[in-house]
Amino acid sequence: MAYARAYEKHLTAEERGLVAQTRRPEITELKDAELRAVVKQLRERRDRARDTAQDRRRAKAKSGGGRAAGADAEGPGAQKRRGALVAAVKRGNRELERRRGIVRADTASRNLRQALRRKSNRSLEGVPDSRTAGRGMADQPNTKIAPSGALSAEGAKPALKRSRER
């Protein structure tokens, strides 16, 4: 965490305030809508920093600075700034996901309680104990096949031949 705070010196004052809001205990005090707004702003700033760095690298490579110059085109300050913004976005997203998990768990337990309540309150009047109600297993004939075993005209001749041999 110390290295991330050291990177913050490369941030603007407004960005420092946004990044500070993604740390505890401030992040837990934010409402969901406020946290989403902070993460959105941080994401926009992170993307802007990334795009600026890509443009600088492209311009440096175009001007003939060579391969090694492409990586250093933005400077260490810009890399650290982007790193601090990336870390802040990750913290914000993690907190949002944690809050979503709490909501999901609450919803699931509420649904289970409602289902149990409905199950215990249901009326069993008119519902048989089983499908056959004491007569044994019910016959469920397969109506998709022919009863004689002859499925079509091709099966009729072997069936007729077998009946003659007996």
Side-chain angles (χ1 to χ4, degrees), residues 57-115:
R57 278 195 295 271
R58 211 173 295 118
K60 186 81 168 188
K62 198 178 258 188
S63 68
R67 280 179 77 90
D72 268 356
E74 59 181 312
Q79 290 174 350
K80 291 178 181 177
R81 175 176 174 257
R82 198 169 64 243
L85 292 172
V86 166
V89 169
K90 283 183 182 179
R91 282 192 301 271
N93 285 337
R94 227 180 3 247
E95 177 66 16
L96 284 171
E97 187 56 36
R98 184 188 72 81
R99 291 180 184 189
R100 281 188 212 112
I102 291 170
V103 170
R104 278 193 301 263
D106 288 345
T107 303
S109 63
R110 188 175 345 105
N111 289 344
L112 287 172
R113 280 194 299 275
Q114 287 175 353

Side-chain angles (χ1 to χ4, degrees), residues 19-79:
V19 168
Q21 288 181 342
T22 63
R23 289 208 171 85
R24 293 192 186 271
E26 292 87 359
I27 196 168
T28 56
E29 295 168 358
L30 290 175
K31 295 179 181 165
D32 289 347
E34 293 171 345
L35 181 58
R36 278 192 295 272
V38 167
V39 170
K40 181 180 178 184
Q41 288 176 346
L42 284 167
R43 196 176 293 123
E44 288 169 356
R45 289 171 187 269
R46 177 204 61 191
D47 293 346
R48 192 177 320 135
R50 181 195 60 207
D51 295 344
T52 303
Q54 286 174 346
D55 292 344
R56 284 187 182 155
R57 278 195 295 271
R58 211 173 295 118
K60 186 81 168 188
K62 198 178 258 188
S63 68
R67 280 179 77 90
D72 268 356
E74 59 181 312
Q79 290 174 350

